[in-house]
Amino acid sequence: MKTEFCKVDEALSILVGKWKPIILLHLFNEGTLRFSELKRLMPDITQKMLTKQLRELETEDIIDRVVYPQVPPKVEYSISEYGKSLQPVLNVMHEWGSAHTKHMQEKRNRKNLEQSS
Amino acid sequence: MKTEFCKVDEALSILVGKWKPIILLHLFNEGTLRFSELKRLMPDITQKMLTKQLRELETEDIIDRVVYPQVPPKVEYSISEYGKSLQPVLNVMHEWGSAHTKHMQEKRNRKNLEQSS
DNA sequence: CCGAATCCCACAAGATACTG
DNA sequence: CAGTATCTTGTGGGATTCGG
């Protein structure tokens, strides 16, 4: 692979953001969620951040945003057809991440063992 | 998948950093590289950043750092055995990233077409 | 209910200079 | 050659308030 054509950064740029992976996970799990439902699933996120992250995912075509013109407002989010192509990427990253957590855990254990001996 | 156990963030935390993917790509391609060789391959990175990113990858066990005690100094970096487990992750991300670049490109083309009609 | 607007801080990253 | 040490700046993310 030529370094000039490395597109890992491109994928990274879509996924980085403190809340994007968890937002995507909820949408993959639940299918469709209202803004308020997402907010309830992630109590620590502020409305501003939730809005921002959703907008960014929307401009990248990863998620669909449907506004129901009514009062009170109702906005539903879901993974777009195109966005579903992200599933395998997220899976691979999740699995490697799990393995890595375990790896670093065991490393710490070994170090503690050395110290106590 | 339970949201509490989402480990995508874990993988992300290893890969984020403006230069990490390209550093890893060079090391995967070349096998072993000296500090100065990496610097030459990435003219725009500062020594400080190169050092920092390499240190972070090292503490996560992704790369090996070998110091030759001689004057002038010589330090070689390479992907660790464990680090090689990242290869498939990077591949998947690269391929999705390429496809996404194309997707957004075509989207722009369609929009331009609409405007000119 | 869903968001926009504003203010704020921490931290990633760059520029530059120095050293064993 | 392979790094530190400082200083500065840009930006991601948080708290809070206001609006349709």
Side-chain angles (χ1 to χ4, degrees), chain B residues 34 36 47 55 65 73 75 77:
Chain B
R34 300 182 57 168
S36 54
Q47 289 199 346
R55 287 286 187 288
R65 176 172 181 267
V75 181
Y77 295 92

Side-chain angles (χ1 to χ4, degrees), chain B residues 51-69:
Chain B
T51 301
K52 193 183 169 213
Q53 310 270 303
L54 287 169
R55 287 286 187 288
E56 291 175 9
L57 290 170
E58 189 194 358
T59 66
E60 300 293 341
D61 289 351
I62 308 298
I63 62 175
D64 287 328
R65 176 172 181 267
V66 180
V67 182
Y68 294 86

